[in-house]
Amino acid sequence: ARRAALAEPLAATHRFNVATALFIAGRYDEAERVNREALELRPTGPVETAAKVMILERRVDEAIALVAGRPDDPTRRQIVALAHAAAGRTRAADSALDALIEIAQERDPLRIAEVYAFRGERDRAFDWLERGSRAAEPGPARLRLRTVPWTVKYSPFVAALRSDPRWPAWAAKAI
């Protein structure tokens, strides 16, 4: 991803990909910086990586402000749900999760799984992981998921699930 970004320095997509890779690698400060640099090239590009770093750092109001002017889609709703959960705002977190489920249950169930995992609701998280995995399986019924299983596998928001006995079986099929 870095070579592609270096080869085409004005191609924002490559930089967004680098930011995602850095996030998955746990290099949060660098991931946020690269995401912001990519946004300078394409201001309408994805802010998800920067917002998730902010949430992990408990800069939740910044994360909510970052997505406030964005389209009302599963990404935005997930960021809001994660941010409120991180801040301990139970009512707002529940409401935001309900709003996420409303628009993401068919096309982006893995986002819902991440939120449940971050909230410590393991059983619900695994239910949504399974839904997302089934939707990603090859075949005529396969959905075009926006969030793919392998990115969730490495997400820090699901870290608590990695000690669960169900994790190895799910992670083995999360490609």
Side-chain angles (χ1 to χ4, degrees):
R2 282 183 192 228
R3 282 193 298 245
L6 289 171
E8 295 185 66
L10 298 179
T13 301
H14 298 316
R15 290 177 188 241
F16 288 119
N17 290 341
V18 171
T20 300
L22 289 166
F23 181 78
I24 289 171
R27 296 168 63 178
Y28 303 128
D29 291 340
E30 195 175 355
E32 181 180 359
R33 181 183 52 76
V34 171
N35 192 184
R36 288 184 179 279
E37 289 172 358
L39 288 167
E40 290 174 15
L41 294 171
R42 188 180 347 136
T44 59
V47 297
E48 180 176 5
T49 299
K52 284 184 172 181
V53 169
M54 292 172 185
I55 292 164
L56 290 173
E57 294 176 348
R58 299 303 194 251
R59 297 164 36 214
V60 296
D61 292 328
E62 278 184 75
I64 292 170
L66 186 62
V67 299
R70 298 294 170 147
D72 184 22
D73 64 6
T75 302
R76 178 181 172 183
R77 290 188 186 192
Q78 180 193 31
I79 295 302
V80 173
L82 289 168
H84 286 307
R89 301 173 188 152
T90 307
R91 278 196 192 128
D94 290 348
S95 178
L97 178 55
D98 289 344
L100 172 63
I101 291 170
E102 178 185 322
I103 66 170
Q105 62 186 323
E106 296 298 325
R107 289 284 186 196
D108 223 349
L110 294 172
R111 289 191 183 280
I112 299 166
E114 277 187 288
V115 174
Y116 274 123
F118 187 60
R119 291 166 51 123
E121 298 180 51
R122 290 177 177 222
D123 291 339
R124 288 185 170 173
F126 275 104
D127 288 344
W128 285 100
L129 286 174
E130 287 303 320
R131 286 186 195 198
S133 295
R134 283 193 303 274
E137 289 174 354
R142 181 182 184 151
L143 295 176
R144 284 189 44 112
L145 297 176
R146 292 197 55 195
T147 305
V148 291
W150 74 266
T151 61
V152 175
K153 180 178 177 180
Y154 298 106
S155 169
F157 294 99
V158 301
L161 300 182
R162 294 186 185 115
S163 63
D164 190 288
R166 296 170 285 186
W167 180 259
W170 181 82
K173 62 184 174 185
I175 54 172

